[in-house]
């Protein structure tokens, strides 16, 4: 299969120029200002004049088909990756979960089964580690070496479910220093939060907003600082996931100013939504129950500045959808039983382009960098993915900066019965999405194939070299 994309404005993390891109057998094989010979060879030509040709989005934080809070996230690897594709994301890194008493190998096999034959875009997994006896340390090494699972998520929150103690975190961090892996941290002080939750429930404070009011930003900042200190003692990089708050970001900024390899991602929900959403009438606040919770609006500005200045390196989605109808309702009378998470796999590029690039908070190059290039570098996918270059996978988005889209349940494709951005109009949307050299979205229609997505063995993170 060969594809020629002509006259587009090629945008990478560092470049911005007009050229043609030729893709053959899933790989970019030529880029040039007018590729006359290729015009005769190409089986398909797309005219991208007036549009951007960007590397496909890479979402390094999704939860598809994930059992959690007594239910399972409502998108599986088919529906979730189709939605991702509509939004211009062509690779994702989901989370496999090693439950207590089970091996990481078992978790890896289970998640491979969930994705195989379903995913429509390429994928990999991070491994969530919930216990790490000495005997399991070798399993970490084997995942890195044999399967390209080069990152591990640990939790400082959710006591009794995912939370691990500092000793476990320290041992995992040290091991990544030997095997080349990278630890991703859910940084919230689970012990403090648990006390606040129990107190609130005893006082009869059971509405969704108490989810936010029992998870103060200080609990996130404390855990972020502690996680960075543990990584410093272990002498390895660390990556903080779903950072939501200014005081947590301050910990990352201070560490980076000291020259420590501390990295963090934020997510669109923390850039566009706020605590005010929990005050929506009735049970609607449950739509936004996620951890960390949405913060007061002023934090948004600090996060945007952090993105612009590279205190924050990545925007992922933490896509973890639960329907209001049958799932969020589990916590109708007790906010602590509301499944944590919200949908977002489809809306990342459009929101960040509209609110970031159009509002002049970040440049077009930075948009590509935080949504594709740095995620690829951070998680061992670069230069195969995350850029437009000869030899890279032909995972591309032809992005129309003028194409308007109204975000909402009926216009989007995620399998969930609400959208946190319902009715929001964004300017700038994918016109064509190409995965492995094949067009998979065009004319707002999915034309890809179930199961065409490939598991990708990742290499080591490029974080140690500095990002
Ligand atoms: O509320 C969230 N973030 N749900 C997904 C699980 C996690 O902690 O990332
Ligand atoms: Zn988390
Ligand atoms: Zn998550």
């Amino acid at each position: 299969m060969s594809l020629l994309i002509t006259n587009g404005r090629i945008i990478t993390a560092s470049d911005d120029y007009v050229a043609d891109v030729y893709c053959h057998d899933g790989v970019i094989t030529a880029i040039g200002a007018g590729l006359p010979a290729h015009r005769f060879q190409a089986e398909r030509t797309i005219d991208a004049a007036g549009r951007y040709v960007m590397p496909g989005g890479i979402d390094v934080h999704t939860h598809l088909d994930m059992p959690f809070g007594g239910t399972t996230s409502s998108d599986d690897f088919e529906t979730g990756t189709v939605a991702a594709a509509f939004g211009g994301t062509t690779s994702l890194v989901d989370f496999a979960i090693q439950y207590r008493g089970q091996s990481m190998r078992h978790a890896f096999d289970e998640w491979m089964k969930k994705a195989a034959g379903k995913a429509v875009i390429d994928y990999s997994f991070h491994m969530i580690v919930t216990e790490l006896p000495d005997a399991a340390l070798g399993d970490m090494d084997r995942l890195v070496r044999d399967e390209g699972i080069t990152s591990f998520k640990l939790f400082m929150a959710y006591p009794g479910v995912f939370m691990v103690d500092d000793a476990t975190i320290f041992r995992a961090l040290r091991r990544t220093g030997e095997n080349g892996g990278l630890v991703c941290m859910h940084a919230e002080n689970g012990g403090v939060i648990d006390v606040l939750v129990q107190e609130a429930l005893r006082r009869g404070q059971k509405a969704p907003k108490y989810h936010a009011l029992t998870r103060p930003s200080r609990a996130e900042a404390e855990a972020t600082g502690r996680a960075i200190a543990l990584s410093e003692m272990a002498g390895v990089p660390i990556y903080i996931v779903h950072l939501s708050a200014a005081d947590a970001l301050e910990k990352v900024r201070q560490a980076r100013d000291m020259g420590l390899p501390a990295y963090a991602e934020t997510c669109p929900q923390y850039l566009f939504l706020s605590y005010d959403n929990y005050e929506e009438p009735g049970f609607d606040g449950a739509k936004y129950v996620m951890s960390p919770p949405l913060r007061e609006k002023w934090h948004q500005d600090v996060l945007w500045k952090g993105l612009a200045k590279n205190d924050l390196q990545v925007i992922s989605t933490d896509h973890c959808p639960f329907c209001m109808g049958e799932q969020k309702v589990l916590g109708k009378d007790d906010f602590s039983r509301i499944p944590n998470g919200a949908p977002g796999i489809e809306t990342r590029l459009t929101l960040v382009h509209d609110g970031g690039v159009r509002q002049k908070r970040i440049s077009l190059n930075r948009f590509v960098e935080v949504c594709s290039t740095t995620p690829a570098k951070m998680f061992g996918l670069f230069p195969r993915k995350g850029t437009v270059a000869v030899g890279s996978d032909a995972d591309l988005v032809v992005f129309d900066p003028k194409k308007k889209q109204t975000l909402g349940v009926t216009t989007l494709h995620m399998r969930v019965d609400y959208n946190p951005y319902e009715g929001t109009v964004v300017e700038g949307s994918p016109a064509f999405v190409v995965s492995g050299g094949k067009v998979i979205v065009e004319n707002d229609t999915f034309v890809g194939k179930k199961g065409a997505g490939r598991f990708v063995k990742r290499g080591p993170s490029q974080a140690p070299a500095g990002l």
Side-chain angles (χ1 to χ4, degrees), residues 265-292:
E265 65 177 21
T266 190
C267 311
Q269 51 270 34
Y270 303 120
L271 297 166
F272 293 96
L273 305 172
S274 74
Y275 173 80
D276 297 348
N277 293 97
Y278 294 114
E279 298 283 356
E280 288 178 13
F283 188 59
D284 276 3
K287 293 174 180 171
Y288 314 96
V289 166
M290 63 188 79
S291 297

Side-chain angles (χ1 to χ4, degrees), residues 61 63 95 128 153-155 158 185-188 241-242 265 291-292 318:
H61 191 146
H63 301 278
F95 291 87
I128 289 178
K153 182 178 179 187
L154 282 85
F155 286 78
Y158 302 123
M185 190 63 73
H186 180 127
E188 285 187 296
V241 295
H242 47 44
E265 65 177 21
S291 297
D318 194 9

